[in-house]
Amino acid sequence: MYSYPDLKLEEKYHPRSPAGEIPIIFAMSLLTVSNLKHSYGTLIVLDGATCAVDTGEKIGLVGRNGQGKTTLMKIIIGTLEPDSGTVQLQRGTRVGYLSQHTDLDPADTLRDAAERAFSKLHDLHIQAHEIYDAMVTAQGEELDRLLSKQAKLDASIEVAGGYAIDHRIDAMLHGLGFSDDQFGLKVSVLSGGQKGRLALAKLLLEEPDLLLLDEPTNHLDIAGCQWLEDFLADEYPGTVMVVSHDRWLLDRVVDRIIEVERGVIREYPGNYHKYIDLRRERQLTDSRVYEKQQDKVRQEKQFIRRYKTGQRAKQARGRQSILDRFIRDEMVERPIELDVMRLSLPDAPKSGELVAVAKNISKSYGQTKLFIDLDLTIYRGDRIGIIGPNGVGKTTLIRTLLDEIKPDAGSVQLGSRLSIGYFQQSQDHLDLSLEVWRYLQNVIVGLDGQAKASEQQARNLAGAFLFSGMDQDKTLQDMSGGERSRAILAGLMAAAHNLLILDEPTNHFDIPSMERVEQALSREGGYEGTILLISHDRALLQAVCDKLLIFDGGGGVELFQGTLSDWMTRQHRRNTAPAPAKSLPTNRAVKKKARSESHHEPEKTNADVRRSKISLKKIESEIETIEQRIREIDDLMLDSKVYTDGARVRALQSERAKLKNDIEPLEFEWAARVDDA
């Protein structure tokens, strides 16, 4: 947590105000970034970056990896000094930053580490107890002074969280995927992913005025991602700036996008989908300008070459100077393409109809049951997403299907004519001395059916997966983890495998890379083989998979026939379904028993009197109408166009709550009529 010293509001005098008159004071934004420039050697990452953030805004910070997003955040919190430019924050602003590296005390328990978010509150409690002790013997003015101090401390304690913070800590830890039996674990024994989630929980509990999040969903499962986006969208009271590759989170949470590209900041109103539309429009405009400018440059160069000697040489030199200034000051760069390049990939040989058959397989480690008596048949062309909490056995199941791990019980049979491409989280099998294009040349199949592709085919594939220019000649060992993963995926896609097994393939990808992989794996992208995909990326799962294998964390595994949004719709309906006692009753005895167990009937209101005069058929019709509308709202809440519109979601939630209130007295009246019949 970073707390900034008092910063004065900007004071500006009206140009016609006489000297000495009271100045006009303009309240500055919560955060103002002005003309930031920063370089790493010859690499310019920020070149005049300027933006302002107002109180309560929720902003998504997007851009390719290495474009300066994390650099901008580090400059804002003051851990990195820019080459030039300024950062201003409002007086007393508390800034919290979630980096990709945690800073936790290894001696703390998990719960104690989260509770450190309230360290200020604990200090206040200590001061309050000291005052209570002093008040025992104090008299006269000294007692009055202590009483006054106690009142101020009580007010500060209330602001800092009061005396009931336990439920807030527990709710936060549960929401981010921790169970009660993990609360006593030492930080020193936690995995890297668990430490990342714990650091996020602690930061959210601190509730800084400006919350800076750098890839907060990296270590979250699907349930954790959903919980976090709901918390940030509906509950978090402060200002949020988030760097994330989770497109669903950006759609649900943010109301403005700031893009960092080639050192320049561009701002777009709305969420991520709106940004994509606006960015395409801007790129189309920039592309037209670029082509016109290129035509002008070609014409000028042609004139200069023709007349650089002879009688018009002086005119040619003058036009060369003008052209140089134009290129330096006015030329736009070629736009970075957002649309996915269409790939021409070799066809994979057709596998047998049955790709894999698992019968009654079980696997446990100690007391932990990963899967029990699982029957699974995978058919040719299946696209199965494998989801569930972290550490429940998703990768173990894959390795069991591949016969790398033996099941405790049951059997696995692989199908015929399989060519398997397996993306593992471990990359120990790679020859890191190879350049990107040469690695791809060695692993992909040539379009002419030859075992090895040509250099040009390898370079074309590298370009399609966002390796351009000199990046194609970088060795694998000189790449970031995300770049290396992208190269491996490109190779798998073009190696003519008819079964792709992908274990968290897009970890540490930026959004353009994820969209490229998503398109390549989709049916529209041309891949017709079988896919098993372990991922927490909801957009990727939705685009690629039409079946889900769902781990419940207790040894149970369910095969769901449908997409991720279909499954989420089902889960939402289950979670919001009315209790059985409130359903439209079909058994008179059950409803009569429920009435007899109630302590008393409510006093009749005007609305009750009105309902008593309505026919039974009319009451049934009203109940059915309300229930139908509730079902419509539940369906709407899972529609991406609605789900990403925070105001629409809140309105629907409010309408649903009102409908639930309206239906209860109607059901009571219906039951009374049926009983009396």
Side-chain angles (χ1 to χ4, degrees):
M1 178 74 69
Y2 304 84
S3 184
Y4 283 76
D6 289 355
L7 295 174
K8 293 182 179 179
L9 299 177
E10 286 185 311
E11 295 187 358
K12 297 185 179 180
Y13 287 85
H14 191 283
R16 295 183 181 178
S17 298
E21 193 167 304
I22 297 175
I24 302 171
I25 300 179
F26 296 89
M28 62 183 289
S29 298
L30 181 74
L31 167 69
T32 304
V33 173
S34 180
N35 201 31
L36 286 185
K37 296 186 178 183
H38 194 77
S39 303
Y40 296 102
T42 59
L43 176 63
I44 300 173
V45 292
L46 295 175
D47 189 12
T50 298
C51 67
V53 177
D54 293 330
T55 300
E57 278 198 290
K58 297 201 173 126
I59 294 171
L61 197 59
V62 304
R64 295 278 304 280
N65 287 342
Q67 293 291 310
K69 302 185 298 293
T70 299
T71 297
L72 177 59
M73 283 192 165
K74 288 181 177 179
I75 291 174
I76 290 172
I77 65 172
T79 59
L80 182 65
E81 187 72 24
D83 297 336
S84 63
T86 60
V87 172
Q88 288 185 302
L89 286 121
Q90 269 188 17
R91 179 171 51 195
T93 298
R94 294 178 309 124
V95 182
Y97 174 53
L98 179 73
S99 70
Q100 297 179 38
H101 307 284
T102 61
D103 182 18
L104 300 166
D105 188 338
D108 278 344
T109 66
L110 186 150
R111 198 181 188 288
D112 287 342
E115 195 168 350
R116 284 186 180 274
F118 298 97
S119 57
K120 178 182 177 182
L121 178 60
H122 288 306
D123 291 342
L124 292 172
H125 281 311
I126 291 172
Q127 294 177 43
H129 286 304
E130 290 174 349
I131 289 176
Y132 296 147
D133 291 340
M135 287 169 64
V136 173
T137 58
Q139 295 180 355
E141 292 183 1
E142 176 64 13
L143 181 59
D144 291 340
R145 186 185 67 80
L146 290 172
L147 285 169
S148 175
K149 192 172 182 180
Q150 177 210 347
K152 293 178 181 178
L153 269 175
D154 284 345
S156 298
I157 287 172
E158 187 65 30
V159 169
Y163 293 88
I165 60 171
D166 288 348
H167 72 284
R168 290 179 59 192
I169 297 172
D170 293 349
M172 186 69 67
L173 292 174
H174 290 153
L176 292 174
F178 292 108
S179 58
D180 289 341
D181 58 3
Q182 294 175 312
F183 285 6
L185 295 175
K186 293 288 187 182
V187 170
S188 57
V189 303
L190 299 180
S191 68
Q194 289 172 323
K195 290 177 181 177
R197 286 186 283 137
L198 176 56
L200 175 59
K202 178 175 176 289
L203 182 59
L204 294 176
L205 286 166
E206 288 172 349
E207 290 191 352
D209 305 307
L210 175 59
L211 179 63
L212 304 178
L213 300 175
D214 194 352
E215 298 293 0
T217 62
N218 267 359
H219 305 295
L220 299 181
D221 58 21
I222 288 176
C225 290
Q226 288 179 275
W227 181 90
L228 177 62
E229 71 180 39
D230 287 340
F231 180 82
L232 293 177
D234 299 330
E235 298 183 40
Y236 192 77
T239 304
V240 178
M241 181 179 286
V242 57
V243 174
S244 180
H245 60 255
D246 189 322
R247 288 159 283 172
W248 282 24
L249 181 142
L250 291 174
D251 270 338
R252 173 84 167 87
V253 173
V254 308
D255 44 42
R256 182 155 63 104
I257 294 288
I258 293 179
E259 177 192 64
V260 185
E261 181 183 292
R262 291 170 171 164
V264 178
I265 278 180
R266 292 186 177 91
E267 301 184 40
Y268 299 82
N271 61 12
Y272 181 76
H273 267 84
K274 182 65 174 176
Y275 153 74
I276 290 295
D277 293 339
L278 293 174
R279 188 172 190 264
R280 283 198 179 101
E281 292 176 9
R282 181 184 62 79
Q283 285 191 319
L284 181 60
T285 300
D286 288 353
S287 180
R288 290 168 179 162
V289 171
Y290 174 82
E291 294 300 334
K292 287 182 179 180
Q293 289 183 335
Q294 290 298 308
D295 289 341
K296 177 178 179 178
V297 169
R298 283 191 290 269
Q299 292 172 4
E300 289 299 303
K301 285 183 175 180
Q302 184 178 9
F303 178 91
I304 292 166
R305 282 195 301 269
R306 179 180 299 177
Y307 297 112
K308 64 181 179 180
T309 58
Q311 293 183 346
R312 305 184 68 175
K314 184 176 180 180
Q315 183 181 1
R317 288 194 298 272
R319 292 179 70 159
Q320 180 67 62
S321 298
I322 295 172
L323 179 61
D324 291 341
R325 286 196 300 273
F326 175 78
I327 293 174
R328 183 190 67 212
D329 300 333
E330 298 182 41
M331 276 286 291
V332 301
E333 295 187 74
R334 186 182 188 88
I336 297 176
E337 294 301 324
L338 190 67
D339 289 330
V340 177
M341 185 182 298
R342 292 287 173 177
L343 301 177
S344 180
L345 300 176
D347 294 328
K350 185 174 287 189
S351 69
E353 177 66 20
L354 294 179
V355 172
V357 178
K359 294 184 178 180
N360 298 319
I361 60 172
S362 300
K363 188 67 183 179
S364 301
Y365 287 110
Q367 299 299 312
T368 304
K369 295 177 172 59
L370 301 182
F371 43 89
I372 304 169
D373 296 331
L374 173 62
D375 288 324
L376 177 64
T377 301
I378 301 172
Y379 297 94
R380 182 179 66 227
D382 276 351
R383 295 163 163 266
I384 301 175
I386 304 176
I387 65 174
N390 294 316
V392 295
K394 301 187 292 292
T395 299
T396 300
L397 174 62
I398 290 296
R399 297 183 64 195
T400 303
L401 294 175
L402 293 176
D403 201 29
E404 294 182 2
I405 295 176
K406 295 296 182 183
D408 298 336
S411 63
V412 175
Q413 181 68 46
L414 289 176
S416 60
R417 302 189 302 278
L418 287 180
S419 172
I420 301 174
Y422 183 18
F423 181 94
Q424 308 173 58
Q425 294 189 46
S426 169
Q427 300 172 351
D428 299 336
H429 61 292
L430 297 177
D431 181 353
L432 299 180
S433 66
L434 293 176
E435 299 93 340
V436 171
W437 74 266
R438 198 177 296 278
Y439 164 76
L440 292 175
Q441 185 185 37
N442 290 344
V443 299
I444 67 178
V445 175
L447 294 177
D448 55 1
Q450 299 299 312
K452 189 174 181 179
S454 68
E455 177 180 344
Q456 189 57 51
Q457 288 171 348
R459 288 190 179 275
N460 289 344
L461 179 64
F465 278 82
L466 303 177
F467 294 103
S468 57
M470 296 177 62
D471 288 341
Q472 297 184 6
D473 295 304
K474 288 170 64 175
T475 62
L476 296 179
Q477 66 187 358
D478 292 332
M479 292 182 165
S480 67
E483 289 174 322
R484 197 177 301 153
S485 295
R486 193 165 7 114
I488 296 170
L489 273 174
L492 288 176
M493 287 298 304
H497 296 302
N498 53 30
L499 172 59
L500 287 179
I501 300 176
L502 309 175
D503 191 350
E504 298 288 2
T506 57
N507 278 358
H508 311 297
F509 273 27
D510 54 31
I511 291 178
S513 301
M514 295 177 77
E515 290 176 333
R516 197 132 307 193
V517 170
E518 181 181 295
Q519 190 276 338
L521 291 174
S522 68
R523 293 190 191 279
E524 293 76 11
Y527 183 73
E528 298 180 352
T530 305
I531 297 174
L532 300 181
L533 170 63
I534 299 175
S535 181
H536 297 317
D537 186 302
R538 293 167 291 172
L540 180 65
L541 287 165
Q542 177 67 22
V544 173
C545 301
D546 48 28
K547 294 182 182 179
L548 297 175
L549 202 59
I550 304 152
F551 283 68
D552 65 12
V557 183
E558 175 195 3
L559 181 63
F560 177 78
Q561 303 283 344
T563 64
L564 181 66
S565 62
D566 295 333
W567 176 73
M568 291 175 65
T569 300
R570 188 194 72 174
Q571 295 303 101
H572 182 75
R573 284 176 175 167
R574 285 181 175 181
N575 294 337
T576 58
K582 293 183 179 180
S583 300
L584 192 64
T586 57
N587 186 310
R588 177 177 173 179
V590 171
K591 196 65 182 181
K592 188 172 183 178
K593 181 176 182 294
R595 286 188 64 208
S596 68
E597 291 176 350
S598 65
H599 295 292
H600 64 277
E601 294 187 8
E603 295 183 6
K604 287 187 178 294
T605 65
N606 291 335
D608 294 329
V609 174
R610 183 189 68 83
R611 281 190 296 271
S612 68
K613 296 179 180 179
I614 300 176
S615 68
L616 183 62
K617 186 176 181 180
K618 177 67 172 175
I619 290 175
E620 290 175 344
S621 175
E622 287 191 23
I623 290 174
E624 290 173 1
T625 299
I626 293 174
E627 287 183 334
Q628 174 63 30
R629 178 54 183 165
I630 289 174
R631 288 192 293 270
E632 290 173 359
I633 291 174
D634 291 343
D635 290 340
L636 283 170
M637 296 278 277
L638 271 298
D639 187 310
S640 61
K641 293 180 180 178
V642 176
Y643 179 76
T644 56
D645 186 340
R648 182 88 182 278
V649 168
R650 287 189 288 273
L652 288 172
Q653 288 173 335
S654 177
E655 182 185 353
R656 192 182 193 281
K658 182 179 183 302
L659 290 170
K660 294 296 289 182
N661 287 334
D662 291 345
I663 201 173
E664 288 187 14
L666 288 169
E667 289 178 340
F668 188 88
E669 180 69 25
W670 184 92
R673 300 279 189 93
V674 171
D675 279 348
D676 294 337

